[in-house]
């Protein structure tokens, strides 16, 4: 395939990784592989200029993006990232992963992602609001409850989603809650959304543990990242009897071979803002995390943390990818050779987008479910997804990641073929 002219070799690594993942799935797609090029090109990429009047009266210009990678199976779905390193190629990759994630979970969405190249921590609340509203107006052309539905990602919050919803609604002339998800609950947000991703990590982890004969009540667990995803997953494992023996955040790496009291750590973190200084545990060097022997390892912080070298030394049976893209393709190969099971990000952390789907459905119906209903429906979808992928991996004799890509690509490419959009 001819390379896209706008793929930048310096900034395009994430997109190139996505293309490599598509190459890996190609041999398993039979006749459908003729059509895989569809996924090697984003459907629509919008670059916008966002002028913002700052509090001191000057005007600054920010670069913004919204990419709809695929809308074959439904409206685009994916977050908006406010971060100084955001670039078009990164947003394209993140949109591509959303296409795969939504299809692997069989949600009726395509994949999209957005971003603004800005450090939101340097803006006042008013500047952040003006930036968000102008960005929303600039991408207004292509978003909407039936077109493309943004959500929070790194650097964006329920408040940012509330401003996006309000700006879109002002232009539409009526309140359109279904245009974004991850809103505050009193503005059409869903119960259970904030805990959904960590809960999904736990639910898929339980299923995978059962498949490999690992008893959760006696398992040991290490968690990198103690935020929205990692803390909830750690709490659920702790409550199910597992020992969470190590927790790392950006300030400290806590270790105790008899297990850390997670509810107490959560209370401490809430008070202190981070985990450093928590009593009765060892604060070890951050690189030591990868040398700890534990049945389950949960990377739930950053992308690209498990390199080939780390993959060679990890002493674990099961990796649950709470973060997006924590494992390099080369590390993936090493872990597969060593027989370590990885529940890939596109399944493991899909609890968030699943409850976002529920939020969208509830907004469109103007009828809201209880948190128990949300959790139950999410568990059913997540369990089915991991079972489908597990069976496919057994059948095709491949990793769970490749199996997830096979399941997703088949769904997308079949939909595309039956719509008559294919050569
Ligand atoms: P968060 O900001 O709530 O928490 C991030 C955690 O990572 C914090 O505890 C932080 O201290 C820690 N961290 C940051 N830098 C670190 C470093 N250098 N070393 C160790 N720890 C570090 O973020 P989150 O919402 O929990 O997201 C975590 C990951 O999960 C990201 O990759 C995100 O894309 C992915 N994810 C999140 C959701 C969601 O619904 N929040 C959904 C899907 C995927």
């Amino acid at each position: 395939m001819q390379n896209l002219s706008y793929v930048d070799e310096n900034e395009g690594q994430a997109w190139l990784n996505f293309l490599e993942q598509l190459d890996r799935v190609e041999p398993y797609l039979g006749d459908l592989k003729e059509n895989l090029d569809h996924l090697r090109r984003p459907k629509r990429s919008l670059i916008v200029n966002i002028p913002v009047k700052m509090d001191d009266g000057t005007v600054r210009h920010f670069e913004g993006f919204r990419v709809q990678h695929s809308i074959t199976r439904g409206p685009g779905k994916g977050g908006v990232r406010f971060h100084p390193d955001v670039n078009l190629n990164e947003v394209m990759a993140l949109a591509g992963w959303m296409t795969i994630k939504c299809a692997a979970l069989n949600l009726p969405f395509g994949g999209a992602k957005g971003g603004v190249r800005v450090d939101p921590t340097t803006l006042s609340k008013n500047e952040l609001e003006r930036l968000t509203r102008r960005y929303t107006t600039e991408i207004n052309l292509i978003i909407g409850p039936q077109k493309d539905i943004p959500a929070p990602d790194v650097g964006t919050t329920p408040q940012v989603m509330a401003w996006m919803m309000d700006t879109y609604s002002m232009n539409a002339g009526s309140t359109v809650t279904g245009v974004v998800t991850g809103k505050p609950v009193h503005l059409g947000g869903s119960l259970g959304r904030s805990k959904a991703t960590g809960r999904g990590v736990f639910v898929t982890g339980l299923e995978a543990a059962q498949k490999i004969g690992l008893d959760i009540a006696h398992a040991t667990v290490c968690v990198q990242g103690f935020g929205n995803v990692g803390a909830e997953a750690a709490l659920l494992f702790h409550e199910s009897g597992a020992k969470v023996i190590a927790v790392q955040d950006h300030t400290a790496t806590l270790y105790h071979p008899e297990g850390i009291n997670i509810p107490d750590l959560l209370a401490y973190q809430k008070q202190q803002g981070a985990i450093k200084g928590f009593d009765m545990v060892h604060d070890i060097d951050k690189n030591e995390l990868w040398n700890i022997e534990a049945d389950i390892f949960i990377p739930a912080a950053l992308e690209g943390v498990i390199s080939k070298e780390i993959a060679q030394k990890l002493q674990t049976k099961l990796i649950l990818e709470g973060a997006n893209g924590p494992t390099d393709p080369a590390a993936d190969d090493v872990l597969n050779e060593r027989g370590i099971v990885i529940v890939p990000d596109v399944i493991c952390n899909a609890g968030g987008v699943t409850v976002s789907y529920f939020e969208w459905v509830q907004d469109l119906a103007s009828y809201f479910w209880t948190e128990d209903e949300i959790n139950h429906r999410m568990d059913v979808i997540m369990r089915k997804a991991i079972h489908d992928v597990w069976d496919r991996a057994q059948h095709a004799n491949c990793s769970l990641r490749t199996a997830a890509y096979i399941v997703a690509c088949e769904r997308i490419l079949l939909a595309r073929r039956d719509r008559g959009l294919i050569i």
Side-chain angles (χ1 to χ4, degrees):
M1 192 201 71
Q2 198 185 356
N3 282 337
L4 296 169
S5 62
Y6 49 88
V7 172
D8 179 319
E9 292 201 350
N10 297 320
E11 292 197 322
Q13 195 50 51
W15 175 250
L16 296 175
N17 283 351
F18 176 68
L19 293 183
E20 187 175 336
Q21 287 161 344
L22 293 181
D23 290 346
R24 285 176 178 215
V25 79
E26 186 166 350
Y28 298 92
L29 292 177
D31 290 350
L32 289 171
K33 72 167 174 255
E34 306 298 323
N35 309 317
L36 193 62
D37 270 355
H38 160 62
L39 297 177
R40 293 187 172 109
R41 294 157 182 278
K43 166 85 176 164
R44 246 174 229 137
S45 302
L46 181 63
I47 305 176
V48 296
N49 173 40
I50 309 160
V52 179
K53 187 168 271 186
M54 309 305 283
D55 291 344
D56 65 6
T58 60
V59 174
R60 282 181 64 192
H61 295 263
F62 298 89
E63 251 176 83
F65 309 93
R66 185 74 190 170
V67 173
Q68 293 167 354
H69 174 262
S70 169
I71 53 170
T72 297
R73 301 181 73 253
K77 186 85 195 82
V80 174
R81 183 171 288 196
F82 284 179
H83 192 277
D85 296 336
V86 162
N87 62 68
L88 176 62
N89 290 176
E90 180 192 60
V91 178
M92 284 159 52
L94 291 165
W97 285 322
M98 286 306 297
T99 301
I100 300 294
K101 196 180 291 187
C102 291
L105 269 287
N106 212 5
L107 306 179
F109 291 132
K113 203 84 181 187
V116 178
R117 207 171 162 86
V118 61
D119 179 354
T121 62
T122 62
L123 303 184
S124 70
K125 189 174 179 196
N126 285 338
E127 289 168 342
L128 187 63
E129 177 174 351
R130 289 196 288 273
L131 173 99
T132 303
R133 289 187 181 280
R134 186 64 189 231
Y135 169 67
T136 309
T137 301
E138 296 298 341
I139 64 166
N140 193 60
L141 282 170
I142 62 168
I143 62 169
Q146 302 300 343
K147 297 203 281 187
D148 178 2
I149 306 131
D153 190 69
V154 176
T156 54
T157 58
Q159 172 64 78
V160 170
M161 293 305 114
W163 290 327
M164 287 190 76
M165 187 275 269
D166 183 66
T167 307
Y168 184 88
S169 299
M170 281 161 60
N171 288 321
S174 60
T175 297
V176 188
T177 51
V179 66
V180 290
T181 60
K183 302 178 294 294
V185 171
H186 57 274
L187 277 180
S190 179
L191 294 170
R193 172 62 187 89
S194 59
K195 296 180 175 174
T197 306
R199 186 180 168 79
V201 171
F202 175 69
V203 170
T204 54
L206 280 190
E207 297 298 313
Q210 201 185 29
K211 301 262 189 203
I212 62 170
L214 180 63
D215 177 8
I216 287 293
H218 296 100
T220 49
V221 182
C222 280
V223 186
Q224 184 191 42
F226 202 62
N228 187 297
V229 181
E232 181 62 19
L235 181 64
L236 292 171
F237 276 106
H238 174 87
E239 287 174 351
S240 67
K243 275 187 205 166
V244 180
I245 58 172
V247 173
Q248 182 180 74
D249 77 352
H250 67 287
T251 64
T253 304
L254 307 182
Y255 171 68
H256 199 293
E258 293 310 314
I260 299 169
N261 185 320
I262 299 298
D264 284 358
L265 183 60
L266 272 167
Y268 179 85
Q269 185 210 39
K270 203 169 173 190
Q271 214 177 31
Q272 302 293 324
I275 64 174
K276 192 170 181 61
F278 184 63
D279 263 357
M280 313 292 285
V281 293
H282 311 285
D283 188 350
I284 59 174
D285 182 89
K286 64 179 182 187
N287 297 318
E288 285 297 313
L289 182 75
W290 313 107
N291 295 326
I292 295 172
E293 192 177 334
D295 297 314
I296 301 175
F297 208 96
I298 307 177
L302 307 167
E303 20 189 272
V305 287
I306 304 184
S307 61
K308 197 173 166 186
E309 293 67 39
I310 287 178
Q312 271 151 353
K313 65 179 172 183
L314 268 178
Q315 297 300 319
T316 190
K317 296 177 182 141
L318 180 60
I319 295 177
L320 305 177
E321 291 188 339
N324 281 315
T327 312
D328 284 351
D332 232 3
D333 294 340
V334 173
L335 294 166
N336 290 329
E337 275 161 26
R338 292 184 60 210
I340 296 171
V341 173
I342 309 168
V343 181
D345 49 4
V346 289
I347 297 287
C348 194
N349 71 29
V353 72
T354 302
V355 176
S356 273
Y357 164 52
F358 296 159
E359 180 173 334
W360 177 74
V361 168
Q362 291 170 90
D363 287 340
L364 295 188
S366 297
Y367 182 80
F368 291 86
W369 308 338
T370 64
E371 191 160 349
D372 281 349
E373 282 175 296
I374 304 268
N375 288 342
H376 173 69
R377 287 172 198 258
M378 187 189 99
D379 291 359
V380 169
I381 289 181
M382 299 288 293
R383 284 205 189 104
K384 175 156 175 33
I386 178 116
H387 281 288
D388 286 354
V389 165
W390 198 280
D391 288 351
R392 185 54 71 95
Q394 299 281 308
H395 189 251
N397 192 22
C398 65
S399 69
L400 291 178
R401 191 183 318 279
T402 300
Y405 273 67
I406 298 173
V407 169
C409 289
E410 282 181 355
R411 286 186 179 137
I412 301 158
L413 298 175
L414 271 173
R416 195 145 176 95
R417 192 186 68 187
D418 291 350
R419 286 180 61 166
L421 297 171
I422 226 83
I423 32 167

